[in-house]
Amino acid sequence: MENKPIARTLRLLSQLMELHEENPFKIKSVANAAFKIDKLPFAIAQKPLNELDKIDGIGKSIAGKVVELLQTGTLQELETLLAQTPPGIVEMLGIKGIGPKKIGIIWHELQIENVGELYYACNENRLVEAKGFGLKTQEEIKKIIEFKMAANGKFLYAQVEAAVYQLLADMAVWLNKADHHALLSVAGDFRRNCEIIEEVVLVLGSDVISEEQLASFEGLSFAAVSDNVFSATTEAGLHIRLEIVPHEDFYLQYFKLTGNESHVKKVLELAGNGPFASEEAIYAQAELDFIAPELREDLGEIALAQKHQLPQLIEYKDLKGTLHNHSDWSDGVHTLEEMAIYCKENLGLSYLGICDHSKSAFYAKGLSEERVWAQHRQIDELNQKLAPFKIFKGIESDILNDGSLDYSDDILKTFDFIVASVHSNLRMDRDKATARLIKAIENPYTTILGHPTGRLLLSRKGYEIDYQQVIDACAANQVAIEINANPLRLDLDWRWHRYALEKGVLLCINPDAHRKEGFHDMHFGTLIARKGGLTASNCLNAFSLEQITAYFEQNEPK
């Protein structure tokens, strides 16, 4: 065994010992030994075992650990500590900038157990309130985690959107000189609004652009992969594939490279192989209504297009208000008044639903009963000041382990609406999770089911649920389901939107904003809602102020 693996093992041991608050002297001894062994000019494994304790910085105790490691490949002490530590916490130890003491605070005080939850907490501004942390540290941690996520070659749609459109703009400027007749656009998963992007596909229609001319584009360095196919990687690690096709074939190739394979195959069996002057012409030739790119997944959209029954997909401009948001009453950054004024004056919305955390979320400054009353008094004052804009009194009430909400009925009835969400005890099997959600849905005070699976894209899978049972329960109890617009969540998954809509369940595009800028996540929520087939008429926060006021009043428990 080489020195570096030995040093790395001892370093991890010292970190875990510090995390579990063991003897400081022992921790320092192990950490120092790890440093010394890493810098030795010879392989420690080549030394006689009975002479290891003679090496500078290695006493009898450390020598014993090295011998055990050399002979067994592991350390029992290390294995014991690993068994007591969630794997996600161990992974955090590899993040530069936060040592074991801070990770201990993250784990024990904030109840965060993996890197995905830590990243989400950074977005929620939750680390700022923890001892030893500040805004600068929080932002540094966020950047480090984003770098680690990018290293896996997978990106959230929101992480790449701006860069993709900037690349298109830069290439358009270049093409204006190289071939101003050229056609250029983005296809693939990005155009279909997929939540995870591994590759961005660009299609360039030109009869004159050659490999030599492509080399003159300064924005990226493209390398030939095959005939007329080129690849490049951005500084952030995003893979770009560029396909150059004859100008006449652009729309056909654009179509082929946008939809998934089965959608493309079925449409072209009806339309033939062109040439086509537009994508609209392809669908017209196939005797189909035009199918929006985000729907091209072969999930029944072709049959709907044949019957002229495609949904009129929701647009961002259809949203009249925003529900499920947090202020500095709990773990938000801005005051309730600042959040309301931003919605009214900057976004042109008619209403704001405030849903600060409930009392079980102590790590997020959840509201006690007394603070609920105090917030309601402030909302009444602000509603007089900001009228006709309205702040609705909401709460994100924790769904407890048994499925109950964490306030009494006397408190629950004081809210205009309630978002019920799971935040704790996430390690549930499918039956337990489903039963827990259904009990909360059946609570007469529940208005909206929040982020139904608790997933964090690229980092936490979320608990398994029986989607049909949960959606059916929402239909039976007139409970809306959230499409959490935070790019890490996008939960309810778009693949279940259509089933919910078929059952008559309203969906709600909720930003879960913890600062003013968070409201803009409704853009990403709208994109994924379109992918799921949502229309404005079936979106709760596309209701006008008068409509949603009436809806809340009609759904109050009798």
Side-chain angles (χ1 to χ4, degrees), residues 181-330:
H181 294 295
L183 297 169
L184 172 71
S185 200
V186 60
D189 290 350
F190 183 88
R191 190 178 179 218
R192 296 204 314 280
N193 294 347
C194 293
E195 60 271 49
I196 303 297
I197 305 297
E198 296 185 51
E199 179 183 61
V200 172
V201 179
L202 302 180
V203 188
L204 172 59
S206 173
D207 296 325
V208 301
I209 296 295
S210 63
E211 184 175 349
E212 291 74 21
Q213 286 175 302
L214 183 60
S216 68
F217 175 63
E218 297 179 354
L220 277 178
S221 179
F222 283 96
V225 175
S226 60
D227 289 345
N228 300 316
V229 178
F230 304 86
S231 70
T233 303
T234 69
E235 288 185 7
L238 177 63
H239 183 60
I240 309 293
R241 176 160 61 98
L242 172 66
E243 298 209 8
I244 301 178
V245 302
H247 192 280
E248 183 185 46
D249 295 338
F250 173 79
Y251 287 105
L252 178 58
Q253 290 303 114
Y254 187 35
F255 169 77
K256 287 181 176 180
L257 293 170
T258 293
N260 74 6
E261 185 177 348
S262 54
H263 174 95
V264 170
K265 180 181 178 182
K266 288 181 179 179
V267 172
L268 291 183
E269 284 175 352
L270 298 171
N273 288 309
F276 299 101
S278 66
E279 283 192 314
E280 286 80 0
I282 297 174
Y283 286 102
Q285 184 66 30
E287 298 184 350
L288 300 171
D289 288 345
F290 179 79
I291 299 175
E294 48 267 66
L295 294 179
R296 301 178 194 175
E297 300 283 356
D298 192 27
L299 293 175
E301 71 277 3
I302 294 174
L304 291 176
Q306 288 174 322
K307 300 173 185 176
H308 311 294
Q309 294 177 355
L310 284 170
Q312 182 67 42
L313 298 179
I314 192 168
E315 297 182 39
Y316 183 83
K317 66 181 181 181
D318 294 323
L319 303 182
K320 301 298 188 294
T322 173
L323 303 170
H324 187 180
N325 305 288
H326 300 263
S327 71
D328 65 353
W329 277 86
S330 63

Side-chain angles (χ1 to χ4, degrees), residues 30-276:
V30 174
N32 286 341
F35 179 80
K36 293 278 188 180
I37 291 172
D38 195 29
K39 301 300 181 183
L40 287 176
F42 55 85
I44 195 171
Q46 295 176 358
K47 279 280 185 180
L49 299 184
N50 59 357
E51 294 182 13
L52 293 182
D53 60 349
K54 305 293 192 301
I55 299 173
D56 181 41
I58 300 179
K60 288 186 177 180
S61 175
I62 298 298
K65 296 183 191 303
V66 173
V67 170
E68 181 185 354
L69 194 54
L70 290 170
Q71 292 179 342
T72 68
T74 188
L75 293 174
Q76 185 56 51
E77 184 177 5
L78 176 62
E79 295 300 323
T80 299
L81 290 172
L82 286 171
Q84 299 169 7
T85 313
I89 295 295
V90 177
E91 185 183 0
M92 278 186 217
L93 291 169
I95 299 176
K96 293 180 180 179
I98 48 174
K101 287 184 180 178
K102 286 186 176 178
I103 291 174
I105 293 171
I106 290 169
W107 180 16
H108 298 299
E109 295 186 16
L110 301 182
Q111 297 187 339
I112 293 169
E113 292 193 355
N114 63 53
V115 173
E117 291 173 357
L118 178 59
Y119 183 64
Y120 187 73
C122 290
N123 284 336
E124 289 188 315
N125 208 49
R126 194 170 292 168
L127 260 65
V128 172
E129 300 295 330
K131 182 180 177 182
F133 292 86
L135 187 60
K136 183 178 179 181
T137 302
Q138 178 176 272
E139 290 304 310
E140 287 175 352
I141 291 171
K142 183 179 176 182
K143 288 178 181 177
I144 292 168
I145 295 174
E146 286 176 342
F147 181 80
K148 287 172 66 71
M149 291 166 68
N152 295 327
K154 295 182 179 181
F155 295 80
L156 303 175
Y157 177 96
Q159 288 177 306
V160 304
E161 184 187 57
V164 169
Y165 285 125
Q166 184 60 57
L167 175 59
L168 284 173
D170 292 344
M171 292 193 76
V173 171
W174 166 72
L175 280 171
N176 193 43
K177 298 177 181 178
D179 178 12
H180 67 275
H181 294 295
L183 297 169
L184 172 71
S185 200
V186 60
D189 290 350
F190 183 88
R191 190 178 179 218
R192 296 204 314 280
N193 294 347
C194 293
E195 60 271 49
I196 303 297
I197 305 297
E198 296 185 51
E199 179 183 61
V200 172
V201 179
L202 302 180
V203 188
L204 172 59
S206 173
D207 296 325
V208 301
I209 296 295
S210 63
E211 184 175 349
E212 291 74 21
Q213 286 175 302
L214 183 60
S216 68
F217 175 63
E218 297 179 354
L220 277 178
S221 179
F222 283 96
V225 175
S226 60
D227 289 345
N228 300 316
V229 178
F230 304 86
S231 70
T233 303
T234 69
E235 288 185 7
L238 177 63
H239 183 60
I240 309 293
R241 176 160 61 98
L242 172 66
E243 298 209 8
I244 301 178
V245 302
H247 192 280
E248 183 185 46
D249 295 338
F250 173 79
Y251 287 105
L252 178 58
Q253 290 303 114
Y254 187 35
F255 169 77
K256 287 181 176 180
L257 293 170
T258 293
N260 74 6
E261 185 177 348
S262 54
H263 174 95
V264 170
K265 180 181 178 182
K266 288 181 179 179
V267 172
L268 291 183
E269 284 175 352
L270 298 171
N273 288 309
F276 299 101

Side-chain angles (χ1 to χ4, degrees), residues 522-541:
M522 288 193 293
H523 162 70
F524 302 110
T526 302
L527 293 182
I528 211 70
R530 287 174 60 85
K531 188 164 187 60
L534 182 62
T535 64
S537 61
N538 296 113
C539 178
L540 184 58
N541 59 312

Side-chain angles (χ1 to χ4, degrees), residues 394-405:
I395 195 78
E396 185 177 19
S397 186
D398 269 28
I399 300 174
L400 302 179
N401 198 47
D402 65 355
S404 61
L405 304 186

